[in-house]
Amino acid sequence: MPKINGNEIRPGNVLEHNGGLWAAVKVDHVKPGKGGAFAQVELRNLRNGSKLNERFRSADKVERVRLEQKDQQFLYEDSGMLVVMDTNTYEQVQLPADLLGDRRPFLQDGMMIVVEYHEEEALNASLPQKVVCKIVETEPVVKGQTAANSFKPALLDNGVRVSVPPFVGQDEDIVVNTETMEYVERA
């Protein structure tokens, strides 16, 4: 694995540190008036989700890990495990459902997801950035209510609550951003 200097760490990098795999969440480069510059890095453990703040000087060497990304198709959920299939080899793999975290409700049958592996161990999974959901419950459309930046609550078919503009009604399909869990547009 390639070693990089402490000042080359960027958000999103995966590092092997203290015997674990850590993702750099936030990186601040600090140049104090006295002493050498360093990078203040907020790390998140990829296996258990714990966080750690660490200082890396430019002379420090850290192992940068490259995760293998595979496009896989979601088939079904079975007792807390997601069953996905590699579309090239048709091999089926079981992944823990908590790998998706709070984005789990947006997973739909047949959806393509990107799973990141480190030596055959699934560490992370990401959904498409935008998905289409149906509104099952919201306040009725009120004519003449066109105030800028006014939103109303809506319940989606997957149980997630989002804020939508006043002109969007019940039983309409909308596009939702899975990263921010916000309304994007009508479908």
Side-chain angles (χ1 to χ4, degrees), residues 97-115:
D98 60 355
L99 209 58
L100 288 171
D102 54 357
R103 297 177 315 252
R104 165 66 191 96
F106 291 105
L107 188 61
Q108 299 166 355
D109 288 344
M111 182 180 276
M112 293 299 292
I113 62 173
V114 177
V115 182

Side-chain angles (χ1 to χ4, degrees), residues 19-51:
L21 288 175
W22 301 82
V25 178
K26 204 162 123 184
V27 179
D28 289 324
H29 293 280
V30 181
K31 297 177 183 134
K34 189 174 184 181
F38 60 88
Q40 183 73 35
V41 183
E42 183 180 319
L43 299 168
R44 183 179 52 82
N45 190 309
L46 290 176
R47 291 195 173 100
N48 61 22
S50 63
K51 291 203 171 186

Side-chain angles (χ1 to χ4, degrees), residues 26-180:
K26 204 162 123 184
V27 179
D28 289 324
H29 293 280
V30 181
K31 297 177 183 134
K34 189 174 184 181
F38 60 88
Q40 183 73 35
V41 183
E42 183 180 319
L43 299 168
R44 183 179 52 82
N45 190 309
L46 290 176
R47 291 195 173 100
N48 61 22
S50 63
K51 291 203 171 186
L52 174 73
N53 277 314
E54 198 73 51
R55 284 184 177 184
F56 293 100
R57 302 220 171 267
S58 60
D60 295 341
K61 297 280 189 193
V62 289
E63 294 269 342
R64 181 164 176 212
V65 178
R66 293 231 184 252
L67 298 179
E68 181 185 359
Q69 294 186 335
K70 290 183 182 177
D71 288 334
Q72 297 189 318
Q73 184 178 19
F74 171 67
L75 299 177
Y76 59 92
E77 184 171 359
D78 181 32
S79 62
M81 299 296 278
L82 304 177
V83 179
V84 296
M85 178 182 69
D86 189 320
T87 53
N88 297 330
T89 63
Y90 300 106
E91 174 188 359
Q92 292 185 8
V93 182
Q94 287 191 335
L95 306 172
D98 60 355
L99 209 58
L100 288 171
D102 54 357
R103 297 177 315 252
R104 165 66 191 96
F106 291 105
L107 188 61
Q108 299 166 355
D109 288 344
M111 182 180 276
M112 293 299 292
I113 62 173
V114 177
V115 182
E116 294 181 325
Y117 288 94
H118 178 257
E119 298 173 359
E120 302 302 314
E121 178 188 8
L123 294 174
N124 194 13
S126 56
L127 297 174
Q129 188 175 3
K130 295 178 181 176
V131 295
V132 176
C133 298
K134 182 183 276 306
I135 296 177
V136 293
E137 185 182 306
T138 188
E139 298 166 8
V141 177
V142 179
K143 286 203 181 288
Q145 189 178 14
T146 57
N149 295 339
S150 67
F151 284 87
K152 62 183 182 180
L155 181 66
L156 302 178
D157 55 356
N158 58 11
V160 175
R161 290 197 175 276
V162 296
S163 294
V164 296
F167 57 82
V168 177
Q170 192 165 320
D171 297 326
E172 283 192 52
D173 288 337
I174 61 168
V175 177
V176 179
N177 183 327
T178 58
E179 293 170 7
T180 61

